[in-house]
Amino acid sequence: MTGPEFGALRSDDDQWDIVSSVGYTALLVAGWRALHAVGPQPLVRDEYARSFVTASADPYLTGLLASPATSADQTAFPRLYGVQTRFFDDFFRSAAEAGVQQAVIVAAGLDSRTYRLDWPAGTTVFEIDLPKVLEFKAQVLARHGAEPKAHRAEVAADLRTDWPTPLKAAGFDPRQPSAWSVEGLLMYLNGDAQNLLFARIDELSAPGSRVAVGALGTRLDHQQLAALEAAHPGVNLFGEVDFSALSYDDKTDPAQWLAARGWAVEPVRSTLELQAGYGMTPPDVDVKVDSVMHSQYITATKAGA
Ligand SMILES: C[S@@+](CC[C@H](N)C(=O)[O-])C[C@H]1O[C@@H](n2cnc3c(N)ncnc32)[C@H](O)[C@@H]1O
């Protein structure tokens, strides 16, 4: 495999694989999850995350995993990604407990929830991402003999195209309630693509459906981030990823969008509030990171159940 290819600006129909452009961000966050799993008191242990890094042979992430750092600065992103992973795990557990049997992981990347969580019998987990990303994931998991803990349906599609058709072809039933995760995705969609994504989720969601939306960086100020990295160089675990070349800004707030369409939206939380809820006291550096990244975690339920 070649190394990550960055630098080119986004186009609205660009493509990528696991070691290029937006696809590499899936590998990067898998690397953070792998580092979180070997860090102190992990909130979640994703045992598959390391396998993806190893299979990619990516020198940057392989190097980080070979000798994991321990300072608060260097563990900030793995710690915060662990908090995020736990938030989405809890979301799916709670939807499953409420009897929702269709889970849709939008932009699944190398998320291994289908293999990690104890899904109730009868659950189908739909994983949507680009074909090359899902192919890499399937190959690595097959090599490790990993078995999904629910019925798993792959939907290899670009979210900027007509993905509801392959989703329904894969067995998704819009008359039944569903639980959707939109994790670490929105920054890679332009405003129109984001609105279309939520309009389609709304259309496909029967009453009682749930959605969780969140990312460490929802309003990333790139200049402030550079200043933070200058003061705390250890924080930068992005390798060669230049988020400003991959992401789009200036979009509708998803919580407001959902509330305006009749979804009951719970109070929006930041990563710091999630940490407090998990009994953690965020180190000072986490507070600084969040003041630059503006994390947001949203859960909402569609009315009328
Ligand atoms: C930062 S990764 C997050 C992956 C996963 N949700 C997680 O948290 O581990 C972003 C993912 O979004 C996917 N993605 C971004 N834009 C997409 C699009 N237009 N269509 C399909 N997938 C997309 C990428 O391929 C990548 O897997």
Side-chain angles (χ1 to χ4, degrees):
M1 285 184 191
T2 58
E5 296 153 20
F6 300 112
L9 284 175
R10 302 288 313 274
S11 64
D12 290 343
D13 57 356
D14 57 358
Q15 299 287 309
W16 53 82
D17 60 22
I18 203 69
V19 289
S20 67
S21 186
V22 187
Y24 184 75
T25 67
L27 191 62
L28 181 70
V29 300
W32 293 348
R33 276 196 297 266
L35 287 167
H36 179 72
V38 295
Q41 300 172 322
L43 281 172
V44 174
R45 272 183 218 276
D46 181 349
E47 303 295 349
Y48 299 107
R50 174 181 284 270
S51 315
F52 295 123
V53 173
T54 307
S56 74
D58 177 70
Y60 175 67
L61 293 171
T62 310
L64 288 179
L65 272 169
S67 48
T70 51
S71 78
D73 284 8
Q74 289 164 312
T75 50
F77 274 94
R79 180 169 51 254
L80 297 175
Y81 221 81
V83 171
Q84 174 172 305
T85 306
R86 169 73 180 271
F87 164 80
F88 283 98
D89 282 5
D90 288 350
F91 164 76
F92 278 122
R93 282 196 193 99
S94 144
E97 273 165 24
V100 177
Q101 293 198 312
Q102 303 186 103
V104 188
I105 306 181
V106 179
L110 304 178
D111 168 333
S112 65
R113 285 193 178 91
T114 317
Y115 298 79
R116 279 194 302 107
L117 301 187
D118 290 321
W119 301 93
T123 305
T124 302
V125 183
F126 300 88
E127 297 188 10
I128 312 177
D129 210 300
L130 284 193
K132 286 185 179 169
V133 173
L134 291 179
E135 241 167 65
F136 171 78
K137 179 177 184 170
Q139 276 169 9
V140 174
L141 290 172
R143 216 178 296 151
H144 284 80
E147 293 287 344
K149 293 186 171 181
H151 176 64
R152 176 171 180 264
E154 264 189 14
V155 181
D158 191 317
L159 292 160
R160 298 164 296 187
T161 64
D162 173 20
W163 53 267
T165 299
L167 178 70
K168 285 185 258 182
F172 180 85
D173 182 354
R175 294 162 305 180
Q176 301 300 324
S178 42
W180 302 75
S181 69
V182 180
E183 178 182 11
L185 167 68
L186 296 182
M187 66 281 259
Y188 309 112
L189 301 180
N190 67 26
D192 288 346
Q194 176 177 312
N195 289 342
L196 184 60
L197 173 75
F198 281 113
R200 284 168 163 170
I201 290 177
D202 186 30
E203 207 174 289
L204 292 164
S205 292
S209 294
R210 301 164 179 221
V211 65
V213 185
L216 284 182
T218 53
R219 258 185 314 114
L220 182 54
D221 182 320
H222 299 285
Q223 279 179 350
Q224 280 182 13
L225 181 60
L228 174 76
E229 285 166 3
H232 295 264
V235 159
N236 185 335
L237 291 190
F238 301 149
E240 292 177 44
V241 178
D242 175 3
F243 282 102
S244 56
L246 297 178
S247 48
Y248 296 91
D249 295 327
D250 297 336
K251 285 176 283 177
T252 319
D253 174 9
Q256 284 173 9
W257 194 100
L258 290 162
R261 282 154 189 86
W263 288 67
V265 182
E266 284 169 38
V268 177
R269 283 171 290 172
S270 70
T271 189
L272 304 176
E273 289 164 316
L274 292 180
Q275 278 172 301
Y278 301 139
M280 298 165 73
T281 306
D284 185 45
V285 64
D286 292 14
V287 179
K288 288 185 182 158
V289 167
D290 203 49
S291 72
V292 169
M293 307 283 291
H294 304 283
S295 63
Q296 263 197 357
Y297 295 96
I298 301 165
T299 46
T301 303
K302 187 159 178 170

